Amino acid sequence: MPLTGREVTVDNSGSGLPGERALDADDEAALQRAEVALAALRSTAAMAFGEDLAVAEAALRAARGGPEAVEPSLAALYDAAHCIKGLGGSLGFDLLTEIGRRLCARLKRRHREEADILILADAHLRAMRRVLDEDLRGDGGETGTALLAALDAQ
């Protein structure tokens, strides 16, 4: 959503107190540069998410390597999912953020049920992969609703 031409609350008095004023030419130019930069980030988002998702998928594979690998691998999986969760909304992938939030929550509250958590993590990562493969922006529409419902059913 472009911000140019909008009223904003700023400190324009030097007093530290907020005041209302219209954006000036410098503000407009700065906002336009920021919007261009954000658009560029959005265009490469799938690649950035793909790297984090590959790390998460590798951590899940490592967790299946034996009991001693579970804890460090799930920690790495959590870190990657947390990165995806954090960037998703900023880059137009709200559905990816929601799936990441759900995966992080499940990883935090698990009760040493490694087999179950690995199955759940796999389902979440497959859902994330689908979001990226199908470029499901925003909430993902009907497909996003279906993905979240499938995750809820597990």
Side-chain angles (χ1 to χ4, degrees):
M1 162 175 48
L3 296 175
T4 54
R6 298 179 74 188
E7 290 282 322
V8 293
T9 301
V10 295
D11 175 7
N12 62 349
S13 67
S15 69
L17 300 173
E20 293 285 327
R21 71 169 175 84
L23 298 175
D24 64 21
D26 289 338
D27 296 330
E28 296 277 346
L31 286 171
Q32 288 174 352
R33 286 191 306 274
E35 288 169 358
V36 167
L38 191 53
L41 278 173
R42 284 186 181 123
S43 71
T44 60
M47 184 175 66
F49 287 126
E51 291 171 6
D52 285 329
L53 186 53
V55 168
E57 291 166 336
L60 180 60
R61 284 190 302 276
R64 292 182 174 131
E68 69 285 346
V70 171
E71 288 302 322
S73 299
L74 290 182
L77 174 58
Y78 178 89
D79 290 344
H82 192 267
C83 288
I84 293 168
K85 175 185 79 155
L87 283 175
S90 299
L91 299 177
F93 285 88
D94 299 329
L95 179 59
L96 211 50
T97 291
E98 180 58 19
I99 296 168
R101 184 194 67 74
R102 291 173 183 214
L103 177 55
C104 287
R106 287 205 158 160
L107 287 168
K108 274 186 164 180
R109 70 175 182 255
R110 69 187 177 83
H111 301 291
R112 298 260 178 228
E113 299 165 5
E114 278 80 15
D116 290 344
I117 196 62
L118 297 181
I119 292 167
L120 290 171
D122 183 59
H124 283 75
L125 296 182
R126 283 185 286 114
M128 286 179 173
R129 177 63 62 196
R130 185 167 175 195
V131 169
L132 293 178
D133 289 349
E134 296 181 22
D135 196 31
L136 299 175
R137 306 275 174 145
D139 66 5
E142 290 179 15
T143 302
T145 300
L147 283 171
L148 293 177
L151 293 174
D152 286 343
Q154 293 193 1

